[in-house]
Amino acid sequence: MKIPGTLRACDVNVAPFERRRMAVVFADLVESVRLMQLHEESTLDRWRRYVALTREQVLPRLGGRMVRTAGDGLLIESPDAPSALDLAFALHEALEPFNEGVAPEDAMQLRVGIHVAEVLVEEHDLQGSGVNLASRLASLAQPGATVLSAGARDRIVDSFHAHLRDLGLRYVKGLPDPVRVFSAEPLGVATGAVRVPPPSGDELSPALVVVPFEGGMGNTEHEALGHVMADDIIATLSRHPGLRVLSRNSASALRGHSVERAWAQQALGASFLVSGRYHVRGARVRVSVELSDLRDGQVLWADTMMTEIEALFEGSDALVPEVVANVGRSVLAHELRRVRSLPMDSLAPYTLFLGAEGLMHSLVPRDFERAHEVLEGLSDRHPRQAAPYAMLARWHVLKTVQGWSTDRQADGRRAQDLAERAIDLDNRQSVALATAGLVRMNFHNDIDGARERYLAALEANPGEAHAWASLAAVHSHSGEHDAACSAAQRALAISPLDPNRFLFEAFAAMAHLGAGHYDEAVAHGLASVRQHALHAPTHRLLVAALGLAGRGNDARAAAHRYLQVQPSARVGERWRDLRGDQPVWENLFGLALREAGVPA
C-alpha cells in the first residue's frame, strides 16, 4: 500500500535530548529464562510485585527514578555514585521477602551494575554508551552482587560507603578494550579482607582530618581552591607537635560526603574534623572554616575570612596560618578544659597527655601540680608508654628551674629515674632521649652526657624541637657559639605552632647571649616573655641580656618582674660550674644580674 504524499524526515519533530551526568544503575534478574520456563506464572507474579515495590517504596526513599523495565531488567537513574550504591544494596535486600517459601534453586537474585557518565535523557528513557556499559557491567556480577566501573568507584570511599574489591580488567560485550571493574559489598558484610586497624587507644596525640573545602553555588571553575587550602593546612598542621594529621588521600576521599561522627572515629581514628566552604567573587574568595569534635559534634571554632585567589595559590596569604593557629589553640584549650572538668578515668590517653603538658607548661602552681597528678595517672594506666615518664621527668626539671623545689637532690634523683625508665621502654623515643639530656644538663652539669642524648634524640627524630633547643645550650656552654645560634634557630624554624615555643625563644636568647649578640638575645628574651610571662629562666636571661646590652634601666625593671615570678631567685654560682672559659657564663652573666638588682 502506498502512503499518499511525500515523506520527509525534516518534517518529523521530536523533543531534543538533554545531556546530564548521573549514576546509571542496571539490575538484571539472574537466569530469568530458566525461571520462566519452570514456573512462568509464579515467577512473573513475584517479579511484577517486586518491581512495583521498588518503584513505589525503594526508589522514592533513596532518590532514584525508574527509567524503564525491560522484561527481566531495571534501568534506574540516581544522582551520584554513593546514592546509586545505597540503591543497589536496597534492591538486593528488597528481593528477599519474595523468595520466602521458595526452593533455593528457584529463588530470584539480581546482578547489578553501576556506572557514572554523561547520558542522553529522554522523558521515558536514557540513551548513550554509559547506559550500555552499566548493563554490560551487570553481566559481570555474581548472583546477588554489585559491580562498579572505575568512574563510579572513584566516587566511593572504601570502608565508608562499602567494602570494595578490585576485580581488575574485564572484557565486556561490544567493547574492544577491557574495563576496570570493582565489586562492592555492604559494610555489615564480612569480606575476609585484611583491614588496617585504627590507631591504638594508647596514642598520645589526637588525630585530625582536614576535608578539602567545598565550593559554593555549584561553581566548579575554582574547584582546585578547596584542595589547595586543605593541602596547605594539612602540611602546616603536620608540624604541630601535639597533633596527628591524617594523610591528604584519606581526607580527600571524604569530600562532598556527609561524614558520620562514629564512623570517622572508628575507621579513621580521628577525633577532630576541619571542614569549610568557599565562595569566589572576582579575584577574591570568602572562606568559612569550622573545627568540630567528632566525639560529640561540638563546634570548637569557626570563622569566616577573605583572601585573594592568587595569594592562595602562591602560598602568600594569611588565611592558612590563621586557620592552623586557631585549630592548634582550640584543640589544646578544649583538651585542657576536659582534663580540668572531667574525671581522669573517663578521658582518652591523648586528652590526658595533651592536657597534662598544657597544665605543666602553664607554670601556674595549682595547674602544675594537677599536671603531675594526671601524668602519674596516665603512666599507671599505660605503663608501657615512654612519653608519660619522660614528661614526668621534665616536670621535675621545670619544678627546679622555677625555684619551686624544696629538695633539689630528691627532684634530681626522681627525674633521673623517670628519664631512664622512659629510655628503657623505648630507646629510640626522641622525647625520652631529649628529656634524659635535659636531666643530665640541669641536675648533673654533664655537658658531654647531655650532648650525647640530644644527638641521639635528633637521630631518632630530626624534627624534635626540644632536642635542637637544648643542644643549643650545650653548644653555648662549650664555646661553640655559631653552632648554638644555628641549633636554636633550627628549633624555632620547625616549631612555628608549638604551644611551648616560648621555651625555644628562651634557648635562642641563651645562645645569642653566650655569643655576645646582646641585642639578639634581648629580642628573643622579649619574645619568650610575651608568649609566657611565668617562665622564670627566661626572665633571668632577659635581665642579663638587657644589662649586657647597656640598657640598665630596662634591666632593673626586668629584674623586678623576675623577682615577682621567682621571689627566691639569687644570682648564685651555678653558671660557674659549667665547663669552659666563656666570659658570659664565668662572670659577666652574674655581674649583670647583680647590677640589675637580683640578690647575690
Side-chain angles (χ1 to χ4, degrees):
M1 177 179 176
K2 185 177 181 180
I3 300 176
T6 302
L7 295 177
R8 295 188 303 172
C10 60
D11 291 336
V12 180
N13 294 319
V14 295
F17 283 117
E18 175 190 356
R19 289 188 175 273
R20 191 190 313 156
R21 191 167 188 80
M22 66 177 64
V24 180
V25 180
F26 192 89
D28 183 40
L29 181 62
V30 177
E31 294 189 322
S32 59
V33 174
R34 181 183 67 83
L35 291 175
M36 290 291 185
Q37 287 177 341
L38 293 176
H39 311 286
E40 182 179 57
E41 187 171 332
S42 64
T43 298
L44 185 58
D45 175 66
R46 284 190 292 150
W47 179 249
R48 290 176 62 194
R49 288 189 290 118
Y50 169 73
V51 172
L53 176 73
T54 299
R55 180 184 288 111
E56 295 169 11
Q57 297 184 31
V58 177
L59 295 184
R61 177 166 55 89
L62 296 171
R65 180 179 79 91
M66 183 78 76
V67 178
R68 57 178 162 86
T69 61
D72 57 358
L74 306 176
L75 178 61
I76 300 169
E77 71 171 67
S78 188
D80 52 40
S83 301
L85 192 56
D86 290 341
L87 178 55
F89 294 152
L91 290 175
H92 291 299
E93 184 179 358
L95 197 55
E96 294 175 4
F98 297 95
N99 289 324
E100 294 177 358
V102 177
E105 62 273 17
D106 295 335
M108 294 191 300
Q109 291 182 293
L110 295 175
R111 307 177 197 265
V112 179
I114 301 174
H115 180 52
V116 174
E118 188 176 85
V119 301
L120 304 174
V121 182
E122 295 183 290
E123 184 179 359
H124 300 295
D125 206 356
L126 301 177
Q127 303 286 347
S129 58
V131 178
N132 295 333
L133 181 55
S135 66
R136 298 290 189 266
L137 289 171
S139 68
L140 298 176
Q142 294 294 316
T146 301
V147 299
L148 312 167
S149 67
R153 186 262 175 272
D154 288 344
R155 294 159 177 79
I156 300 297
V157 180
D158 188 23
S159 299
F160 177 42
H161 297 112
H163 296 305
L164 300 180
R165 185 161 66 95
D166 190 347
L167 302 179
L169 296 173
R170 300 291 179 89
Y171 282 94
V172 297
K173 182 179 179 182
L175 292 180
D177 299 319
V179 295
R180 187 80 173 275
V181 179
F182 298 81
S183 66
E185 292 184 304
L187 292 175
V189 175
T191 65
V194 178
R195 301 289 304 284
V196 178
S200 164
D202 289 343
E203 288 284 0
L204 298 181
S205 297
L208 181 146
V209 60
V210 183
V211 180
F213 293 1
E214 289 287 320
M217 308 292 290
N219 185 355
T220 60
E221 180 183 355
H222 299 286
E223 186 174 0
L225 276 177
H227 290 280
V228 168
M229 286 184 278
D231 285 351
D232 287 349
I233 291 170
I234 290 171
T236 310
L237 275 175
S238 297
R239 299 165 66 186
H240 194 293
L243 297 173
R244 287 181 296 118
V245 186
L246 300 189
S247 71
R248 178 190 187 279
N249 289 339
S250 296
S252 296
L254 302 180
R255 192 185 199 205
H257 304 304
S258 177
V259 180
E260 291 291 334
R261 292 199 311 270
W263 177 86
Q265 278 190 270
Q266 181 179 1
L268 296 179
S271 299
F272 299 95
L273 173 71
V274 177
S275 58
R277 296 188 66 82
Y278 62 92
H279 300 268
V280 175
R281 177 172 295 181
R284 293 177 62 77
V285 58
R286 180 175 178 268
V287 184
S288 299
V289 192
E290 179 179 287
L291 168 70
S292 58
D293 187 335
L294 287 168
R295 292 166 292 188
D296 56 15
Q298 181 182 354
V299 176
L300 306 183
W301 169 77
D303 201 357
T304 299
M305 292 159 272
M306 295 288 294
T307 188
E308 301 288 335
I309 294 177
E310 185 176 351
L312 272 176
F313 280 104
E314 291 179 350
S316 60
D317 66 290
L319 184 147
V320 169
E322 184 176 348
V323 169
V324 168
N326 278 290
V327 167
R329 283 195 296 265
S330 299
V331 169
L332 176 59
H334 185 57
E335 298 310 286
L336 272 171
R337 285 194 297 271
R338 290 172 61 82
V339 167
R340 285 190 173 111
S341 62
L342 297 175
M344 281 198 291
D345 58 5
S346 70
L347 297 174
Y350 70 76
T351 297
L352 293 172
F353 188 75
L354 197 62
E357 187 176 12
L359 290 169
M360 182 175 78
H361 286 112
S362 73
L363 299 179
V364 174
R366 182 176 59 184
D367 285 349
F368 190 78
E369 292 300 325
R370 171 65 171 167
H372 186 268
E373 178 186 350
V374 173
L375 286 169
E376 285 203 321
L378 184 59
S379 61
D380 288 342
R381 189 192 300 185
H382 301 280
R384 304 303 301 169
Q385 282 276 2
Y389 293 104
M391 198 59 65
L392 275 170
R394 286 191 184 184
W395 184 91
H396 285 279
V397 174
L398 265 177
K399 179 182 179 182
T400 302
V401 300
Q402 281 293 112
W404 296 337
S405 176
T406 57
D407 189 336
R408 178 182 170 81
Q409 288 187 343
D411 277 305
R413 287 192 299 269
R414 182 60 176 153
Q416 182 73 37
D417 291 343
L418 289 164
E420 289 178 356
R421 175 68 183 276
I423 292 178
D424 287 343
L425 288 171
D426 188 351
N427 62 10
R428 294 290 297 167
Q429 222 260 14
S430 60
V431 173
L433 289 165
T435 300
L438 200 64
V439 171
R440 288 174 182 246
M441 186 86 170
N442 281 271
F443 290 109
H444 306 295
N445 295 331
D446 181 2
I447 298 285
D448 292 333
R451 184 195 300 267
E452 178 185 340
R453 291 303 193 187
Y454 296 145
L455 291 175
L458 292 172
E459 182 181 353
N461 177 15
E464 177 54 55
H466 283 276
W468 280 111
S470 300
L471 184 61
V474 167
H475 287 311
S476 182
H477 290 296
S478 299
E480 301 155 359
H481 300 306
D482 289 344
C485 294
S486 177
Q489 186 57 42
R490 182 70 177 270
L492 289 169
I494 63 178
S495 59
L497 303 174
D498 198 311
N500 303 316
R501 184 179 169 88
F502 72 94
L503 288 172
F504 310 140
E505 293 283 5
F507 278 106
M510 178 186 291
H512 285 284
L513 189 61
H517 307 154
Y518 302 135
D519 289 338
E520 289 87 344
V522 168
H524 287 292
L526 289 172
S528 180
V529 169
R530 277 197 300 271
Q531 294 164 23
H532 201 312
L534 299 180
H535 187 232
T538 299
H539 285 280
R540 186 178 183 90
L541 288 165
L542 181 58
V543 171
L546 288 165
L548 292 170
R551 298 169 57 177
N553 290 336
D554 291 336
R556 285 185 284 275
H560 178 71
R561 291 191 293 271
Y562 172 38
L563 292 170
Q564 287 181 318
V565 171
Q566 189 175 343
S568 62
R570 297 293 183 269
V571 172
E573 299 293 324
R574 178 167 171 264
W575 295 106
R576 296 184 183 181
D577 295 334
L578 294 170
R579 193 185 73 185
D581 57 353
Q582 306 311 306
V584 167
W585 308 132
E586 272 199 322
N587 46 46
L588 293 182
F589 187 89
L591 179 61
L593 291 177
R594 282 193 293 272
E595 289 183 346
V598 177

